[in-house]
Amino acid sequence: MVDLIIKIDLEHRLQEVCCLSITKEWFDSETWSESLGHKIDYILGTSIHPSGGILEIQSRFFKYQWVDEPLGATLFLSRDGVLLDLYEQTIQQVAEGIQIYDRNGYFLHGNPASETLERYKNEDFRGKHVMDLYDLKEEFSTVLTVLRTQKPVLNRCDNFKTTTGKTLTTINSGYPLKIGDQLYGACVFESDLSGLKRIKSRTFNLEAYVESQHPTHQEPLYTFDDIVHESESMKDAIHFAKKVSLTDSSILIVGATGTGKELMAQSIHSFSPRRHKPFIDVNCSAVPTNLFESMFFGTEKGAFTGSIAKQGFFEMAEGGTLFLDEVNSITPEMQAKLLRVLQEKRFQRIGGSKYIRSDVRIITAANEDFLELMEQQKVRKDFYYRISTIKIDIPTLQERKEDIPTLARYFLDEFCNHYHRPPMTLSEKALDEFLQYEWPGNVREFRHTIEYAFTRAPEDALVLEFEHLPDYLQSTKRVSHKAPQLFSVPPTNLPIDGNFDERMEAFERKLIENALDIHGRNVSKSAKALGMSRQNLQYRMRKFNISID
């Protein structure tokens, strides 16, 4: 089955993409349309070859076939071939012996553990009936019992002779293989005494690992459990981040100042298979341009006057994660040098003559719109495509105000515990002020505000009052950050019945529909016009069942 068709021209530039998969939710047609005309290698983050191969697209793997055409080439991508290879390799690694038969009892496949246990080869068994392979009675065959009853047979002890005449005693479990309600075969798991001992040994090793202490080579990092939230928008962002944590794809985290981009980056690393390897964070805006190469790639002794042999960020992060905060501050010249390392996964120290291989997962963060930066030629397009294989948008505090009461309690408890003071609560008037304020500094500003009010309150105070807040919050003046006007006339035909929440939801749906109509159903432009993140708008569209068609 073909899932994707990609057409490229003679210069390997993307011309057209067609998604044929039944489940298209993962396919972002808007992102692909914005990539038309760009080099396919940069879009996919890897080189493609006429001989075919495997590609990773949005955390999904595809086998592709290259077909030459007069004006370029067509790539046919399918997930089925990759899945079959993965399934076969999986059963190859299982310690227990596995045999698979069709519904008529003919041998299809056995894994290496089964071949070793019974001393046979797949090519000798394949296509033969189980009764011809073993000297056994039908009523004592696990395979035939499963095929006859279409029910599992668990932990049955079997005595039988192999084709070599050797008598074996094994513990077998058999299971019917069905597609829908139709039986198509059976599989059998078999272990002898040595196999059971190996399983027991693995159990002891697992217990020892669980009881052992975690590595202490670096300070404890944040995890997803440290992200305080109640809002659906943040729940969606965390759910997506957990999924992509398991991949090695480059991740770009986009969010306004103070939204918690480094907290999200550390959580991704802590949840990933690289969690026991280093996490190196770099504030790119603090790296001088003239020291960029030496700090990232390291130096050899004598490379320049006074230089010593020193590791760079890539070597320090080997096997782990390199987090580049404020990546948008890197100059285009340095972007080109960084891009080469990300593409080739190797680099040279300054003054060095040999290449050093690099196995590092890249996570970047930015607080500016990359589309505008690319238009201003401050960010290279190929660099953007390389670092943004996965993009995570973090909602602002303004977009998730339902989190404010929870965050306020969390920060108050944190300060009370730190300064050994009795627990405090938040007055209704102070909370109401927090909910009305727009928080341009997001969670960081909110935390500092709670800390200021906590310090200002008397030591014996049990309630954080409105009077304890900073003066600018007590002022009646408000700085308003209004979204662009979307309605040329006030919306009409809104329901006059229903409670307040129902009427507000109807108005919100009308507002979103109007924004999408004005901007040609473009989600990114509509989100910008509404003053919210793209992810937040998509969540609300799903909530109201609004499509872009």
Side-chain angles (χ1 to χ4, degrees):
M1 174 182 172
V2 175
D3 295 297
L4 279 177
I5 298 177
I6 299 178
K7 290 185 176 292
I8 58 176
D9 62 17
L10 294 172
E11 296 181 349
H12 292 188
R13 297 183 183 277
L14 180 63
Q15 297 297 304
E16 183 182 351
V17 181
C18 180
C19 179
L20 304 179
S21 176
I22 297 176
T23 56
K24 297 183 179 181
E25 291 81 4
W26 66 274
F27 182 74
D28 190 346
S29 57
E30 183 175 332
T31 298
W32 280 99
S33 63
E34 292 174 354
S35 302
L36 294 177
H38 297 294
K39 288 278 191 178
I40 190 68
D41 286 1
Y42 290 129
I43 297 172
L44 299 177
T46 188
S47 299
I48 56 174
H49 304 280
S51 58
I54 295 178
L55 293 173
E56 182 180 1
I57 301 177
Q58 296 180 6
S59 301
R60 289 168 171 80
F61 290 92
F62 299 84
K63 266 193 174 180
Y64 71 90
Q65 182 180 3
W66 175 299
V67 178
D68 285 315
E69 294 182 349
L71 298 179
T74 299
L75 306 181
F76 296 94
L77 283 71
S78 170
R79 294 191 71 193
D80 290 347
V82 177
L83 292 175
L84 289 174
D85 287 347
L86 292 177
Y87 295 156
E88 184 172 348
Q89 288 188 44
T90 298
I91 68 171
Q92 306 281 24
Q93 307 304 322
V94 178
E96 288 182 282
I98 301 177
Q99 292 185 350
I100 304 173
Y101 294 83
D102 69 14
R103 63 185 177 188
N104 296 316
Y106 289 92
F107 183 92
L108 296 176
H109 185 71
N111 71 339
S114 177
E115 289 181 298
T116 301
L117 176 63
E118 299 188 22
R119 298 180 181 177
Y120 71 88
K121 293 184 179 179
N122 265 289
E123 52 266 28
D124 297 332
F125 270 32
R126 193 169 287 120
K128 294 182 180 179
H129 196 274
V130 63
M131 296 296 292
D132 297 327
L133 296 174
Y134 302 103
D135 181 13
L136 46 76
K137 294 182 180 181
E138 182 175 349
E139 61 269 24
F140 296 115
S141 167
T142 300
V143 175
L144 294 178
T145 302
V146 170
L147 293 176
R148 185 174 60 252
T149 64
Q150 298 191 25
K151 294 180 180 180
V153 174
L154 304 179
N155 300 323
R156 183 158 79 177
C157 184
D158 279 354
N159 267 305
F160 59 92
K161 286 185 178 181
T162 66
T163 54
T164 61
K166 180 182 178 181
T167 299
L168 280 178
T169 300
T170 59
I171 299 295
N172 295 343
S173 291
Y175 302 88
L177 301 177
K178 295 183 177 182
I179 301 177
D181 294 328
Q182 187 68 36
L183 179 72
Y184 282 92
C187 67
V188 176
F189 294 81
E190 55 179 355
S191 294
D192 65 355
L193 185 59
S194 62
L196 294 176
K197 288 181 177 179
R198 287 197 299 271
I199 294 174
K200 183 178 180 181
S201 176
R202 287 210 312 268
T203 304
F204 286 145
N205 291 338
L206 176 61
E207 291 176 351
Y209 171 78
V210 171
E211 293 173 358
S212 66
Q213 293 183 349
H214 291 292
T216 58
H217 60 270
Q218 63 179 20
E219 293 295 322
L221 300 175
Y222 289 112
T223 69
F224 287 115
D225 292 337
D226 296 315
I227 302 179
V228 180
H229 69 285
E230 294 289 344
S231 62
E232 290 297 325
S233 58
M234 185 55 79
K235 285 181 182 178
D236 288 344
I238 292 174
H239 178 71
F240 179 60
K242 285 183 177 179
K243 289 171 61 177
V244 301
S245 296
L246 303 178
T247 73
D248 278 331
S249 300
S250 299
I251 296 177
L252 171 62
I253 302 174
V254 179
T257 299
T259 51
K261 295 185 289 296
E262 181 163 0
L263 174 59
M264 181 67 76
Q266 289 191 21
S267 299
I268 291 173
H269 173 81
S270 299
F271 198 77
S272 76
R274 298 175 180 265
R275 58 188 174 276
H276 298 309
K277 297 293 184 178
F279 176 88
I280 303 299
D281 58 314
V282 181
N283 187 332
C284 297
S285 64
V287 178
T289 302
N290 61 329
L291 297 179
F292 181 92
E293 290 183 82
S294 61
M295 293 182 70
F296 272 84
F297 311 137
T299 57
E300 292 288 1
K301 184 177 181 180
F304 49 84
T305 303
S307 68
I308 60 174
K310 184 179 180 181
Q311 289 185 335
F313 294 138
F314 275 95
E315 285 184 82
M316 294 166 61
E318 178 61 22
T321 300
L322 180 58
F323 173 54
L324 306 181
D325 196 8
E326 297 190 40
V327 69
N328 46 288
S329 64
I330 300 177
T331 64
E333 292 77 18
M334 294 301 105
Q335 291 172 25
K337 295 180 178 181
L338 194 58
L339 175 64
R340 184 176 180 182
V341 179
L342 300 182
Q343 188 77 30
E344 298 181 0
K345 298 187 182 301
R346 62 175 188 167
F347 61 91
Q348 288 178 308
R349 285 183 175 183
I350 303 300
S353 58
K354 66 177 183 179
Y355 281 100
I356 301 174
R357 302 300 302 179
S358 176
D359 175 23
V360 173
R361 205 265 182 83
I362 300 294
I363 300 179
T364 56
N367 56 10
E368 294 187 70
D369 186 350
F370 269 93
L371 296 179
E372 293 183 4
L373 293 174
M374 285 190 288
E375 290 178 0
Q376 299 169 10
Q377 297 186 345
K378 293 182 179 179
V379 172
R380 294 170 56 104
K381 291 183 178 180
D382 49 5
F383 180 70
Y384 170 72
Y385 293 134
R386 174 38 106 173
I387 65 173
S388 63
T389 305
I390 305 291
K391 185 180 177 185
I392 299 176
D393 291 298
I394 302 183
T396 63
L397 190 55
Q398 173 74 10
E399 294 170 336
R400 55 183 187 109
K401 284 199 169 182
E402 56 265 51
D403 288 341
I404 287 179
T406 305
L407 285 166
R409 287 194 298 270
Y410 177 82
F411 291 140
L412 265 179
D413 290 344
E414 180 184 18
F415 293 129
C416 288
N417 291 332
H418 182 75
Y419 292 102
H420 306 290
R421 287 171 57 172
M424 296 181 67
T425 59
L426 191 67
S427 72
E428 187 174 338
K429 187 176 181 181
L431 177 60
D432 183 61
E433 181 64 27
F434 288 159
L435 293 171
Q436 291 186 47
Y437 185 61
E438 294 186 6
W439 300 108
N442 292 290
V443 179
R444 182 183 294 124
E445 180 188 4
F446 185 55
R447 187 183 188 279
H448 290 164
T449 299
I450 296 290
E451 184 175 9
Y452 173 89
F454 174 85
T455 305
R456 188 174 179 180
E459 289 190 8
D460 58 348
L462 298 178
V463 179
L464 201 66
E465 301 286 358
F466 175 80
E467 292 73 19
H468 302 148
L469 304 185
D471 293 340
Y472 71 89
L473 283 177
Q474 297 186 38
S475 172
T476 56
K477 296 181 180 180
R478 287 283 177 270
V479 179
S480 180
H481 305 279
K482 294 182 179 179
Q485 183 68 31
L486 295 174
F487 290 102
S488 56
V489 295
T492 57
N493 300 324
L494 292 178
I496 59 175
D497 297 324
N499 58 32
F500 177 80
D501 290 337
E502 291 170 341
R503 296 189 192 185
M504 284 300 295
E505 286 186 358
F507 179 82
E508 185 178 356
R509 178 187 177 90
K510 189 77 173 177
L511 188 68
I512 293 173
E513 288 279 15
N514 187 268
L516 289 169
D517 289 341
I518 290 175
H519 296 285
R521 316 302 287 184
N522 185 296
V523 177
S524 296
K525 293 180 180 178
S526 300
K528 186 175 181 180
L530 289 167
M532 64 174 64
S533 69
R534 187 172 188 271
Q535 187 179 26
N536 195 11
L537 177 56
Q538 287 176 324
Y539 160 72
R540 295 173 187 274
M541 289 172 64
R542 290 194 299 271
K543 174 183 175 183
F544 296 119
N545 197 24
I546 299 174
S547 67
I548 60 174
D549 299 330

